[in-house]
Amino acid sequence: MTSTKDRTISRGDSGALIGFCIAGVLIAAYITVFSIIRIIELARGVDVPVLIEFAPDASAVDLPLSTGGSVAVGLDSGTIIAPQLPAIAAVPGIIGQVLQIITILVVIGCLILLARSTVSGRIFGRGRTALVATAGITGLLGFASVRFFDNMLANATVARITDNGIDNAVMSVEPFTFILGAFVIALICTVFSIGDRLQRDTDGLV
């Protein structure tokens, strides 16, 4: 005889998961509001702060000292205030913010559904594995795309304001970070898939 009866979890664990869901909703709401404000700022196109990253060979600047003279320091990033943001820069920036909203909502939505199903006592299952995979892949590709469009915004802004006078970085996504993220997501999905099979085997013995 088989049994697929769900396990129950403690009240403390249930409370922690409910707290996680509430925190997820608040995070999603905060990032959504922030992104909407940024979209309005980019669409307006006046005095827009744009974060740029500098190429390694162009990152040395002279920092004045209080005792006189200066010292060379490395500069990884900085913010440029664009008096008039060109459309070629604003459009990628807006696309990036829209993708950020979608990515956050999908990732947090999947994790909340996963937490909700866990409260019921059923941790592993094909549906749960699909939720983990969807959250992981969406997060990986989504944030990489946001990074890419933000880089387009920065490059276009620098090109227009400085007439290509600043050599800023053009790499949108760090390959190592992307590969590491993909590895972690694949590992988690594998764990959930194995857990699902083990749980089904265990239920078949009950």
Side-chain angles (χ1 to χ4, degrees):
M1 176 180 291
T2 62
S3 173
T4 58
K5 185 177 181 179
D6 294 345
R7 283 75 172 171
T8 58
I9 62 176
S10 67
R11 291 184 178 180
D13 291 336
S14 296
L17 289 173
I18 293 173
F20 168 81
C21 293
I22 294 174
V25 171
L26 294 176
I27 292 172
Y30 172 80
I31 294 178
T32 299
V33 170
F34 176 83
S35 295
I36 291 175
I37 294 174
R38 180 62 172 171
I39 289 173
I40 295 173
E41 185 179 50
L42 292 170
R44 189 168 57 92
V46 179
D47 295 331
V48 182
V50 177
L51 178 67
I52 64 173
E53 296 182 2
F54 299 100
D57 57 351
S59 59
V61 296
D62 292 329
L63 180 67
L65 301 177
S66 60
T67 57
S70 62
V71 60
V73 298
L75 185 63
D76 295 326
S77 62
T79 300
I80 286 183
I81 305 298
Q84 292 291 333
L85 191 67
I88 194 175
V91 172
I94 292 174
I95 293 175
Q97 293 302 311
V98 172
L99 288 176
Q100 179 168 272
I101 294 174
I102 295 174
T103 301
I104 288 296
L105 292 179
V106 171
V107 171
I108 292 182
C110 288
L111 295 180
I112 288 177
L113 290 176
L114 181 64
R116 180 182 176 184
S117 66
T118 303
V119 170
S120 67
R122 190 78 177 181
I123 300 175
F124 298 108
R126 293 180 180 177
R128 285 79 174 176
T129 304
L131 287 174
V132 172
T134 300
I137 294 173
T138 301
L140 187 66
L141 297 180
F143 288 119
S145 298
V146 171
R147 171 79 169 167
F148 173 77
F149 284 107
D150 282 346
N151 190 257
M152 290 182 63
L153 164 65
N155 288 340
T157 302
V158 169
R160 177 61 64 88
I161 293 179
T162 68
D163 194 21
N164 295 315
I166 297 179
D167 183 17
N168 61 308
V170 296
M171 177 61 72
S172 296
V173 181
E174 292 292 340
F176 177 77
T177 302
F178 190 84
I179 294 173
L180 179 62
F183 173 78
V184 172
I185 292 169
L187 177 61
I188 294 174
C189 290
T190 301
V191 170
F192 267 78
S193 179
I194 294 174
D196 176 34
R197 289 197 297 269
L198 292 175
Q199 181 167 280
R200 283 189 279 112
D201 292 342
T202 302
D203 289 341
L205 296 176
V206 177

